[in-house]
Amino acid sequence: MPTHQQYAQKLVTSQEAMQFLRDGDVIIVPTAAGEPPSLLTALSEQRRAFRGIKIAQILAMRNYPYFDPETVEHVQHVALFFGGASRLCGQAGWGDFIPNYFSEIPLMIERGQITPDVVFSMASPMDEHGYFSLSLGTDYTMAALAKARAIVLEVNPHVPFANGNCTVHISQVTALVESDGPILEVGLPKIGPVQEAIGKHVADMIADGSTLQIGYGGIPDAVVMQLTQKHDLGIHTEMIGDGIMTLLESGAVTNRKKTHMPGKMVATFALGSRMLYAFMHRNPMLEMHPVNFTNDPYIASQNDNLMTINATLQVDLLGQCGSESIGDTPYSGTGGQVDFVRAANRSRGGKSFIVLPSMAKSDTISRIVPVLSPGTHVTTSKNDVNYVVTEFGVAQLRGKSAKQRAQEMIAIAHPDVRSELRQAARQMRLL
Ligand code: COA
């Protein structure tokens, strides 16, 4: 049957699309801007008609009515990484989460450890060959498509048709709904003097011709702003945002010197402004790939001089990073942090930077601590961590002894807390 006829046959309203759900289903929703608002709104409205539905997603951004402690027996969010909308349900305990390395979620799906029954995803309009592009959240969605009983796409004309391994054919799709609202947008964060100082420290250690992975959060973007005067940078990253687009426009990124996929930028999900989404549309320089490709440390490390920049919340004197919880209170998730720290460690000439302001909560709490707060979820281990950067400088930890690490870490803590940290280090026999 011609593809346009298949399209017409499969087109339903978002309310009608709920007929493809069964009690107990796991619905896989892509990362961030790839979440389909019409479908999730319709599910929210009809949630009391179902029992035991779980929504598994990284970085839920919009606060749909299904985020409701009164109706969790009907529909519950099970985060793969908490975002702004899902954080509260994780912290209050009526949501749940599945620990993971982002790169391994597709493998967990293939092996049946996560079992997608249904995929709900944003998609570009269909092309002349019958393909849709899942450019906003390619990530684990491609693996879920191969396993799901039902695939429901929300087709929106503002979703870019990107190149790469991010397409699905109409013949594979169960149902389609259409929407035309703007794609979720986020702006670049405000950069203060602390972020700027961290950005400068990192930029000083990045040579022309390096390949970059830029993590999620305010400071990685601040680093990007310090790199606009560099030359021939390349991009092999997880999230493509406006920061990377700014680097490209400044002429700093050419991708020419990349030793893996030269000439191409690689990413797995997109989150930024409408300019970013327009930039992604049929751009021959960009490829969107599943996360088991972009974040696999062995693949990413084929980029020589891979520089990875990721944020954390708290670091101890050995360099253990608690990037995803504050004590036992979940905040975000592991995401691709460990994937890219390990990739940089393996890359010839690679460097992994873990970045954080020295203090939190209006300069009342040191983020460099003798031991992590009780219950903290350790993200990057002492065995993987290398450069840790605050506004006061750079600690280089890989290959260093426990005692050397304590000295390096104290040197980048806020001057007001250094003597306290020294005292604690002595008690821990680290000095
Ligand atoms: N004690 C108490 N509160 C703390 C704290 C600490 N040690 N460290 C941070 N906080 C508070 C901050 O004050 C801030 O609160 P506020 O919003 O009320 O000011 C909040 O926690 C977030 O801290 P911040 O440094 O602003 O985080 P961020 O927005 O830059 O995000 C994360 C950092 C969450 C993205 C990062 O830690 C993370 O999740 N990393 C793992 C994932 C990753 O790196 N992925 C990379 C591939 S994309």
Side-chain angles (χ1 to χ4, degrees):
M1 189 191 296
T3 53
H4 65 275
Q5 273 181 28
Q6 291 185 55
Y7 188 104
Q9 258 185 15
K10 293 180 178 187
L11 191 61
V12 296
T13 66
S14 50
Q15 288 75 18
E16 287 165 351
M18 298 306 121
Q19 69 186 284
F20 300 104
L21 295 177
R22 307 272 176 275
D23 287 349
D25 274 353
V26 173
I27 306 176
I28 296 283
V29 172
T31 307
E35 69 187 24
S38 300
L39 289 170
L40 292 177
T41 302
L43 175 60
S44 293
E45 285 162 7
Q46 295 185 35
R47 65 190 183 280
R48 288 183 176 80
F50 297 100
R51 293 202 77 77
I53 286 189
K54 312 263 187 217
I55 297 185
Q57 184 191 3
I58 277 190
L59 215 56
M61 302 292 286
R62 298 180 181 91
N63 204 358
Y64 298 100
Y66 88 80
F67 286 107
D68 176 358
E70 302 297 317
T71 57
V72 281
E73 76 269 25
H74 301 289
V75 178
Q76 186 186 35
H77 191 86
V78 182
L80 297 162
F81 183 113
F82 288 106
S86 50
R87 184 165 297 132
L88 179 65
C89 79
Q91 296 184 339
W94 45 270
D96 204 353
F97 71 99
I98 302 173
N100 63 83
Y101 295 117
F102 198 179
S103 64
E104 294 186 355
I105 298 175
L107 195 68
M108 292 160 95
I109 290 173
E110 273 167 42
R111 298 203 171 161
Q113 292 157 340
I114 297 174
T115 51
D117 297 294
V118 178
V119 173
F120 276 0
S121 174
M122 286 293 258
S124 72
M126 187 173 75
D127 76 357
E128 64 276 26
H129 306 292
Y131 284 93
F132 303 86
S133 177
L134 308 187
S135 55
L136 298 176
T138 309
D139 44 53
Y140 44 80
T141 316
M142 299 301 286
L145 296 180
K147 292 280 182 185
R149 183 190 71 238
I151 297 167
V152 186
L153 301 183
E154 180 167 330
V155 178
N156 182 304
H158 307 296
V159 176
F161 198 107
N163 297 322
N165 180 7
C166 61
T167 53
V168 55
H169 193 257
I170 179 74
S171 56
Q172 235 189 305
V173 173
T174 311
L176 301 159
V177 306
E178 289 180 334
S179 68
D180 64 0
I183 306 301
L184 184 110
E185 295 185 73
V186 298
L188 282 170
K190 282 216 180 84
I191 296 172
V194 168
Q195 288 78 5
E196 198 178 318
I198 295 171
K200 284 195 171 126
H201 289 310
V202 176
D204 284 349
M205 298 181 67
I206 294 182
D208 289 346
S210 300
T211 292
L212 309 178
Q213 175 260 337
I214 312 289
Y216 176 66
I219 302 185
D221 273 325
V223 174
V224 162
M225 297 307 154
Q226 304 297 325
L227 295 172
T228 53
Q229 303 306 314
K230 302 274 178 191
H231 300 285
D232 286 326
L233 297 175
I235 302 293
H236 182 116
T237 200
E238 169 185 308
M239 184 189 101
I240 180 162
D242 281 37
I244 287 175
M245 200 174 55
T246 310
L247 271 188
L248 196 88
E249 282 164 0
S250 73
V253 167
T254 63
N255 294 303
R256 275 185 216 134
K257 296 272 172 78
K258 285 180 80 184
T259 53
H260 178 248
M261 296 179 73
K264 302 278 181 197
M265 304 209 278
V266 190
T268 198
F269 79 93
L271 185 59
S273 68
R274 64 190 64 193
M275 275 92 74
L276 173 74
Y277 306 136
F279 162 82
M280 293 171 64
H281 187 64
R282 296 196 182 278
N283 187 332
M285 196 194 250
L286 173 68
E287 291 194 7
M288 301 301 290
H289 282 273
V291 70
N292 49 329
F293 179 86
T294 55
N295 287 34
D296 183 311
Y298 295 96
I299 295 174
S301 66
Q302 290 168 36
N303 291 289
D304 289 353
N305 304 310
L306 179 67
M307 305 289 138
T308 69
I309 302 146
N310 294 290
T312 193
L313 301 172
Q314 196 180 52
V315 187
D316 74 10
L317 295 180
L318 290 178
Q320 304 184 92
C321 304
S323 312
E324 57 193 276
S325 76
I326 297 170
D328 62 5
T329 304
Y331 188 83
S332 52
T334 304
Q337 181 168 120
V338 179
D339 298 334
F340 280 106
V341 168
R342 290 178 173 165
N345 288 343
R346 288 187 176 92
S347 154
R348 205 173 301 130
K351 293 176 189 155
S352 79
F353 299 98
I354 296 287
V355 292
L356 77 168
S358 65
M359 301 292 277
K361 298 281 165 215
S362 313
D363 289 353
T364 56
I365 301 176
S366 175
R367 296 190 186 216
I368 311 287
V369 287
V371 289
L372 298 175
S373 308
T376 297
H377 307 180
V378 176
T379 308
T380 295
S381 89
K382 64 187 187 322
N383 307 342
D384 290 317
V385 69
N386 194 3
Y387 294 96
V388 181
V389 186
T390 70
E391 68 275 29
F392 294 106
V394 181
Q396 192 278 311
L397 303 182
R398 213 161 152 78
K400 298 267 167 75
S401 71
K403 289 177 199 290
Q404 290 170 323
R405 285 171 181 234
Q407 283 181 342
E408 294 263 340
M409 290 304 300
I410 292 168
I412 62 163
H414 194 286
D416 291 354
V417 303
R418 286 182 199 167
S419 71
E420 217 176 292
L421 286 174
R422 266 188 223 104
Q423 209 180 336
R426 275 193 287 274
Q427 278 168 6
M428 294 164 71
R429 298 171 300 283
L430 286 174
L431 280 186

